[in-house]
Amino acid sequence: MPDASATDIAATLASALGDDPFYWSITEGFGDDEAARTDCLDRYFRLSLAEGHEVGRVVIAGDDGAAIWVPPGDEAVLAAARARKHAAFADLLGAQGFSNYRRIIDFMDANLVAGIAESAWYLSILGVATSARGRGLGGRLLAPTLAEADTQGAACYLETFNPLSLPFYGRHGFRPSEPIVEPVTGAPYWAMVRAEKSS
């Protein structure tokens, strides 16, 4: 499958994930201006794709979907990339949206399984176009990085606000926490961990 452009795949992610409580909260400042909100999400996902290419892994299936992973690694390198992304997000999201973003991220970081973030692969974003769902594409987007993590003996983790995604991730070895209510969105989410494979 040929790679899509960053613009095409960002638009797919914006469409696939736009109803998620996290993305609603970070674009809250746009109110009812759906065109401005969509443009903001397109640019948000382009920045996220760029970070993934810089310090992580991006798995793309044409313009039908993508997975963006951040691996364990040199904390100084990861922190510098994160700082650049956050500076861009501050400009993009505006004061209200960026405040919501930071509060949600800080809350989720504080509620991770102890020690998991330093040693595990993090699935930052996974999105599949509505028209491409039900064909196993999500599993194919996960497979290469899960295999790499297994080779390294590394765990993987993610967070999701979508209860319908729990069985999907469960089929790929992720086990959910009890639901955690995130205070900015007021919505429950689940931290999911896939344990490292023993050799």
mmCIF file of all heavy atoms in Angstrom, residues 51 54-55 70-71 73-87:
data_model
loop_
_atom_site.group_PDB
_atom_site.id
_atom_site.type_symbol
_atom_site.label_atom_id
_atom_site.label_comp_id
_atom_site.label_asym_id
_atom_site.label_seq_id
_atom_site.Cartn_x
_atom_site.Cartn_y
_atom_site.Cartn_z
ATOM 1 N N GLU A 51 6.503 14.304 15.035
ATOM 2 C CA GLU A 51 7.194 13.830 16.232
ATOM 3 C C GLU A 51 7.426 12.320 16.147
ATOM 4 O O GLU A 51 8.498 11.824 16.493
ATOM 5 C CB GLU A 51 6.393 14.148 17.488
ATOM 6 C CG GLU A 51 7.106 13.676 18.754
ATOM 7 C CD GLU A 51 6.211 13.610 19.975
ATOM 8 O OE1 GLU A 51 5.015 13.260 19.848
ATOM 9 O OE2 GLU A 51 6.725 13.898 21.073
ATOM 10 N N GLU A 54 10.263 11.609 13.993
ATOM 11 C CA GLU A 54 11.528 12.070 14.566
ATOM 12 C C GLU A 54 12.054 11.127 15.638
ATOM 13 O O GLU A 54 13.242 10.778 15.644
ATOM 14 C CB GLU A 54 11.352 13.473 15.156
ATOM 15 C CG GLU A 54 12.613 14.023 15.788
ATOM 16 C CD GLU A 54 12.410 15.358 16.475
ATOM 17 O OE1 GLU A 54 11.275 15.894 16.464
ATOM 18 O OE2 GLU A 54 13.392 15.871 17.043
ATOM 19 N N VAL A 55 11.207 10.721 16.573
ATOM 20 C CA VAL A 55 11.708 9.977 17.738
ATOM 21 C C VAL A 55 11.033 8.630 17.941
ATOM 22 O O VAL A 55 11.362 7.919 18.884
ATOM 23 C CB VAL A 55 11.559 10.802 19.042
ATOM 24 C CG1 VAL A 55 12.395 12.067 18.969
ATOM 25 C CG2 VAL A 55 10.103 11.104 19.362
ATOM 26 N N VAL A 70 5.723 6.072 20.504
ATOM 27 C CA VAL A 70 6.915 6.669 21.096
ATOM 28 C C VAL A 70 7.617 5.558 21.885
ATOM 29 O O VAL A 70 7.027 4.973 22.794
ATOM 30 C CB VAL A 70 6.565 7.846 22.015
ATOM 31 C CG1 VAL A 70 7.831 8.417 22.651
ATOM 32 C CG2 VAL A 70 5.819 8.924 21.236
ATOM 33 N N PRO A 71 8.868 5.260 21.534
ATOM 34 C CA PRO A 71 9.572 4.162 22.210
ATOM 35 C C PRO A 71 10.250 4.636 23.487
ATOM 36 O O PRO A 71 10.439 5.832 23.697
ATOM 37 C CB PRO A 71 10.626 3.762 21.178
ATOM 38 C CG PRO A 71 10.962 5.057 20.504
ATOM 39 C CD PRO A 71 9.669 5.843 20.448
ATOM 40 N N GLY A 73 13.593 5.350 25.377
ATOM 41 C CA GLY A 73 14.851 5.778 24.766
ATOM 42 C C GLY A 73 15.521 6.854 25.575
ATOM 43 O O GLY A 73 15.238 7.050 26.756
ATOM 44 N N ASP A 74 16.396 7.567 24.909
ATOM 45 C CA ASP A 74 17.158 8.640 25.529
ATOM 46 C C ASP A 74 16.193 9.727 26.003
ATOM 47 O O ASP A 74 15.576 10.421 25.182
ATOM 48 C CB ASP A 74 18.159 9.186 24.506
ATOM 49 C CG ASP A 74 19.059 10.260 25.080
ATOM 50 O OD1 ASP A 74 18.616 11.026 25.955
ATOM 51 O OD2 ASP A 74 20.224 10.335 24.630
ATOM 52 N N GLU A 75 16.063 9.878 27.303
ATOM 53 C CA GLU A 75 15.064 10.799 27.846
ATOM 54 C C GLU A 75 15.321 12.241 27.424
ATOM 55 O O GLU A 75 14.381 13.008 27.206
ATOM 56 C CB GLU A 75 14.988 10.691 29.367
ATOM 57 C CG GLU A 75 13.893 11.540 29.995
ATOM 58 C CD GLU A 75 12.514 11.333 29.375
ATOM 59 O OE1 GLU A 75 12.139 10.184 29.067
ATOM 60 O OE2 GLU A 75 11.803 12.338 29.183
ATOM 61 N N ALA A 76 16.577 12.632 27.260
ATOM 62 C CA ALA A 76 16.877 14.002 26.830
ATOM 63 C C ALA A 76 16.365 14.244 25.415
ATOM 64 O O ALA A 76 15.817 15.310 25.118
ATOM 65 C CB ALA A 76 18.377 14.262 26.917
ATOM 66 N N VAL A 77 16.546 13.269 24.532
ATOM 67 C CA VAL A 77 16.071 13.387 23.150
ATOM 68 C C VAL A 77 14.548 13.443 23.125
ATOM 69 O O VAL A 77 13.938 14.286 22.446
ATOM 70 C CB VAL A 77 16.594 12.216 22.297
ATOM 71 C CG1 VAL A 77 15.949 12.217 20.913
ATOM 72 C CG2 VAL A 77 18.117 12.288 22.182
ATOM 73 N N LEU A 78 13.904 12.543 23.872
ATOM 74 C CA LEU A 78 12.443 12.508 23.917
ATOM 75 C C LEU A 78 11.890 13.802 24.522
ATOM 76 O O LEU A 78 10.903 14.346 24.029
ATOM 77 C CB LEU A 78 11.965 11.305 24.719
ATOM 78 C CG LEU A 78 12.290 9.929 24.131
ATOM 79 C CD1 LEU A 78 11.881 8.823 25.099
ATOM 80 C CD2 LEU A 78 11.621 9.730 22.784
ATOM 81 N N ALA A 79 12.533 14.297 25.577
ATOM 82 C CA ALA A 79 12.071 15.523 26.231
ATOM 83 C C ALA A 79 12.206 16.727 25.297
ATOM 84 O O ALA A 79 11.322 17.603 25.270
ATOM 85 C CB ALA A 79 12.842 15.759 27.521
ATOM 86 N N ALA A 80 13.295 16.791 24.526
ATOM 87 C CA ALA A 80 13.475 17.910 23.595
ATOM 88 C C ALA A 80 12.407 17.883 22.506
ATOM 89 O O ALA A 80 11.846 18.928 22.147
ATOM 90 C CB ALA A 80 14.876 17.851 22.988
ATOM 91 N N ALA A 81 12.115 16.694 21.979
ATOM 92 C CA ALA A 81 11.068 16.577 20.953
ATOM 93 C C ALA A 81 9.709 16.951 21.529
ATOM 94 O O ALA A 81 8.912 17.652 20.889
ATOM 95 C CB ALA A 81 11.037 15.154 20.396
ATOM 96 N N ARG A 82 9.452 16.517 22.745
ATOM 97 C CA ARG A 82 8.184 16.827 23.405
ATOM 98 C C ARG A 82 8.062 18.332 23.644
ATOM 99 O O ARG A 82 6.992 18.912 23.433
ATOM 100 C CB ARG A 82 8.096 16.054 24.717
ATOM 101 C CG ARG A 82 6.759 16.058 25.403
ATOM 102 C CD ARG A 82 6.638 14.994 26.481
ATOM 103 N NE ARG A 82 7.788 14.932 27.355
ATOM 104 C CZ ARG A 82 8.629 13.895 27.434
ATOM 105 N NH1 ARG A 82 8.460 12.827 26.682
ATOM 106 N NH2 ARG A 82 9.657 13.916 28.268
ATOM 107 N N ALA A 83 9.151 18.985 24.043
ATOM 108 C CA ALA A 83 9.114 20.433 24.281
ATOM 109 C C ALA A 83 8.809 21.193 22.990
ATOM 110 O O ALA A 83 8.032 22.158 23.000
ATOM 111 C CB ALA A 83 10.441 20.895 24.878
ATOM 112 N N ARG A 84 9.426 20.766 21.878
ATOM 113 C CA ARG A 84 9.138 21.415 20.585
ATOM 114 C C ARG A 84 7.678 21.236 20.201
ATOM 115 O O ARG A 84 7.014 22.169 19.729
ATOM 116 C CB ARG A 84 10.054 20.855 19.497
ATOM 117 C CG ARG A 84 11.496 21.316 19.598
ATOM 118 C CD ARG A 84 12.297 20.954 18.361
ATOM 119 N NE ARG A 84 12.399 19.519 18.161
ATOM 120 C CZ ARG A 84 13.318 18.738 18.742
ATOM 121 N NH1 ARG A 84 14.207 19.264 19.581
ATOM 122 N NH2 ARG A 84 13.356 17.440 18.498
ATOM 123 N N LYS A 85 7.159 20.010 20.392
ATOM 124 C CA LYS A 85 5.757 19.744 20.060
ATOM 125 C C LYS A 85 4.837 20.586 20.936
ATOM 126 O O LYS A 85 3.877 21.178 20.445
ATOM 127 C CB LYS A 85 5.461 18.255 20.231
ATOM 128 C CG LYS A 85 4.021 17.876 19.880
ATOM 129 C CD LYS A 85 3.769 16.388 20.036
ATOM 130 C CE LYS A 85 3.669 16.010 21.498
ATOM 131 N NZ LYS A 85 3.199 14.612 21.680
ATOM 132 N N HIS A 86 5.137 20.667 22.232
ATOM 133 C CA HIS A 86 4.277 21.433 23.135
ATOM 134 C C HIS A 86 4.284 22.917 22.800
ATOM 135 O O HIS A 86 3.249 23.586 22.906
ATOM 136 C CB HIS A 86 4.683 21.194 24.586
ATOM 137 C CG HIS A 86 4.271 19.846 25.092
ATOM 138 N ND1 HIS A 86 4.567 19.408 26.353
ATOM 139 C CD2 HIS A 86 3.588 18.834 24.500
ATOM 140 C CE1 HIS A 86 4.071 18.190 26.526
ATOM 141 N NE2 HIS A 86 3.491 17.820 25.405
ATOM 142 N N ALA A 87 5.428 23.441 22.389
ATOM 143 C CA ALA A 87 5.473 24.852 21.977
ATOM 144 C C ALA A 87 4.577 25.083 20.765
ATOM 145 O O ALA A 87 3.851 26.086 20.694
ATOM 146 C CB ALA A 87 6.914 25.259 21.668
#
